[in-house]
């Protein structure tokens, strides 16, 4: 390789690095946090599903990886992966300045 071909590849390599640090890496960190949250949810926690349903966890079934939520419409069974966030964490987080 001569220096001309290396110099022409430099912008392409820089673009790949920028793509990794601004898109791929943050998404991987977000997925890791979400997986850890879903593993640590407990009975009695108020949560929000990915589809926006608010409810309280009344049962966790480890064998088929589902949870039962008590909502205003009654009890609904969801996959554990459908839980998006804990309600108390969303509303009790300190305000950003």
């Amino acid at each position: 390789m001569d220096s001309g071909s290396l110099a022409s590849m430099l912008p392409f390599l820089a673009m790949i690095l920028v793509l990794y640090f601004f898109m791929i890496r943050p998404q991987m960190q977000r997925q890791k946090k979400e997986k850890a949250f879903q593993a640590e949810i407990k009975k009695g926690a108020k949560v929000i599903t990915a589809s926006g349903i608010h409810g309280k966890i009344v049962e966790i079934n480890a064998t088929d990886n589902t949870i039962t939520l008590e909502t205003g419409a009654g009890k609904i069974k969801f996959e554990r992966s459908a839980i998006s966030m804990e309600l108390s964490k969303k509303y009790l987080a300190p305000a950003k300045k």
Side-chain angles (χ1 to χ4, degrees):
M1 282 188 139
D2 61 1
S3 63
S5 64
L6 184 61
S8 67
M9 289 179 63
L10 195 59
F12 181 70
L13 294 173
M15 188 172 64
I16 290 175
L17 280 173
V18 168
L19 182 72
Y20 175 77
F21 281 108
F22 285 106
M23 294 181 74
I24 297 170
R25 189 167 181 257
Q27 178 64 25
M28 289 170 45
Q29 289 175 338
R30 211 176 359 243
Q31 286 175 343
K32 191 182 287 185
K33 281 183 184 178
E34 191 172 316
K35 195 171 209 171
F37 164 72
Q38 290 170 355
E40 70 183 24
I41 56 176
K42 302 205 180 338
K43 187 175 174 181
K46 292 181 179 178
V47 295
I48 303 173
T49 65
S51 59
I53 297 174
H54 294 230
K56 181 177 159 184
I57 298 175
V58 292
E59 182 183 339
I60 298 175
N61 190 343
T63 57
D64 62 353
N65 212 21
T66 60
I67 62 159
T68 304
L69 284 183
E70 184 177 10
T71 65
K75 292 183 180 179
I76 306 173
K77 193 173 192 176
F78 283 97
E79 288 292 320
R80 186 180 277 239
S81 61
I83 301 301
S84 177
M85 68 176 64
E86 189 171 354
L87 192 58
S88 60
K89 287 184 182 180
K90 178 182 177 188
Y91 292 111
L92 297 179
K96 294 181 181 179
K97 292 182 180 182

